[in-house]
C-alpha cells in the first residue's frame, strides 16, 4: 500500500509488514537525505507533493511492478515536509520468492518514481540560501 | 468556464499563491489557460516551457480541452526520492 506522510518513516515496521512464509526475500531500499550537494552543505530538505495525484502514481508503480516482475508484494512510502539529513525520505520494500526480481523491481520503482510522481524537494544550505532540486519534466 | 488552478513548488513561489480561480471563455484549451496565467503572473513566464499540466489529476497536453469546474495543476519538473 502506497503512503505519503509528514511523519518519520519507520523502515523496520514497513519491512516487517512484508515478511511472508512463501518469500525468501524481503528487500528494503531507503532513500536518505544527503548533507551535501555540488560542494555545498545541505542543512535540510523540504518535500512537497500534489498529494492525490502523487498517491495514485505511487499506487500505479506498485501495481505495475507486481505485473512486470516476479514479486509477491511491494510498498512505496514517501515522506513530505522537512526531512533532516540522514533520515529516509523514501522507503521501498519488495517481497519475492527469490532475490533477483526484488532487486530489479526496486531499482525500476525508484527510477520511475523520479520521473513520474509529482513530488518536489528544496534544499536549504548552511550559510543561507535555498534551491529547488532540478528535476524531470512530467510527460503525458 | 471557471477553473481552480493549483501552483506547486517553483510555480507556487513564482505565482506568489498556492491557488487561484481562473475564468476563461467556453471552449478554451490548456494552452489558453497557460497564456492567461502567464499574463496574470509574470513570474511564471520563464518556467512555462518546463511545466507539465494536470486536469483533475491527469496529465494533459497544450491542445486538450478544458472542462468547466476542473482542477488545473501546474507541475514543475519533479524531484522526488
Amino acid at each position: 500500500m502506497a503512503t505519503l506522510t509528514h511523519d518519520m518513516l519507520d523502515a523496520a515496521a514497513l519491512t516487517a509488514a512484508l515478511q511472508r512464509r512463501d518469500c525468501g526475500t524481503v528487500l528494503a531500499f531507503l532513500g536518505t537525505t544527503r548533507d551535501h550537494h555540488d560542494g555545498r552543505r545541505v542543512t535540510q530538505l523540504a518535500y512537497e507533493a500534489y498529494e492525490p495525484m502523487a498517491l495514485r502514481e505511487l499506487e500505479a508503480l506498485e501495481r505495475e511492478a507486481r505485473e512486470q516482475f516476479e514479486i509477491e508484494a511491494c510498498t512505496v512510502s514517501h515522506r513530505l515536509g522537512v526531512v533532516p539529513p540522514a533520515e529516509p525520505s523514501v522507503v521501498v520494500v519488495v517481497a519475492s520468492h527469490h532475490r533477483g526480481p526484488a532487486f530489479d523491481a526496486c531499482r525500476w520503482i525508484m527510477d520511475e518514481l523520479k520521473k513520474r510522481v509529482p513530488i518536489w524537494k528544496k534544499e536549504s544550505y548552511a550559510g543561507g540560501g535555498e534551491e529547488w532540486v532540478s528535476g524531470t519534466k512530467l510527460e503525458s | 468556464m471557471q477553473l481552480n488552478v493549483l501552483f506547486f513548488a517553483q510555480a507556487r513561489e513564482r505565482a506568489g499563491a498556492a491557488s487561484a480561480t481562473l475564468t476563461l471563455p467556453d471552449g478554451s484549451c490548456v494552452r489558453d489557460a497557460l497564456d492567461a496565467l502567464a499574463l496574470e503572473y509574470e513570474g511564471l513566464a520563464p518556467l512555462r516551457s518546463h511545466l507539465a499540466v494536470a486536469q483533475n489529476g491527469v496529465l494533459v497536453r497544450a491542445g486538450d480541452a478544458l472542462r468547466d469546474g476542473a482542477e488545473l495543476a501546474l507541475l514543475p519538473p519533479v524531484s522526488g526520492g
Side-chain angles (χ1 to χ4, degrees):
Chain A
M1 189 185 70
T3 310
L4 287 172
T5 176
H6 283 75
D7 299 327
M8 189 185 272
L9 293 170
D10 185 345
L14 290 164
T15 306
L18 287 206
Q19 287 179 235
R20 337 172 356 150
R21 299 176 72 91
D22 64 339
C23 285
T25 295
V26 180
L27 179 72
F29 169 86
L30 281 65
T32 55
T33 46
R34 250 192 318 263
D35 72 353
H36 61 94
H37 185 204
D38 284 345
R40 301 172 83 180
R41 208 164 81 70
V42 176
T43 54
Q44 68 173 39
L45 282 93
Y47 289 83
E48 163 176 342
Y50 179 20
E51 292 192 33
M53 185 178 171
L55 193 58
R56 275 201 307 277
E57 284 295 320
L58 292 179
E59 287 167 349
L61 288 181
E62 291 179 347
R63 191 170 59 245
E64 291 171 31
R66 287 195 302 270
E67 288 165 3
Q68 289 183 38
F69 301 93
E70 295 211 358
I71 62 173
E72 301 309 306
C74 65
T75 57
V76 187
S77 308
H78 205 297
R79 186 167 164 187
L80 301 176
V82 171
V83 183
E87 291 187 12
S89 53
V90 59
V91 176
V92 178
V93 185
V94 184
S96 56
H97 293 161
H98 304 287
R99 67 184 183 282
F103 280 111
D104 294 342
C106 186
R107 173 183 286 273
W108 180 85
I109 288 169
M110 280 307 302
D111 289 348
E112 290 294 305
L113 184 152
K114 286 173 175 287
K115 290 187 290 199
R116 279 172 53 176
V117 183
I119 297 177
W120 302 270
K121 61 175 169 254
K122 187 186 214 180
E123 292 177 336
S124 297
Y125 304 105
E130 52 185 28
E131 268 175 40
W132 292 98
V133 175
S134 64
T136 308
K137 186 174 178 180
L138 291 169
E139 299 292 344
S140 55
Chain B
M1 63 167 68
Q2 222 172 43
L3 302 155
N4 180 31
V5 182
L6 303 180
F7 304 101
F8 289 95
Q10 299 97 311
R12 174 173 50 73
E13 290 184 349
R14 286 170 175 274
S19 65
T21 301
L22 181 66
T23 305
L24 291 173
D26 287 349
S28 295
C29 67
V30 173
R31 187 182 296 108
D32 300 323
L34 288 172
D35 287 344
L37 290 165
L39 278 178
E40 192 164 343
Y41 303 95
E42 287 179 11
L44 280 180
L47 193 60
R48 179 167 173 173
S49 64
H50 304 285
L51 289 174
V53 179
Q55 178 168 229
N56 294 330
V58 177
L59 291 173
V60 286
R61 296 169 190 273
D64 287 347
L66 293 168
R67 274 171 279 169
D68 185 33
E71 179 175 277
L72 204 66
L74 269 53
L75 310 171
V78 300
S79 55

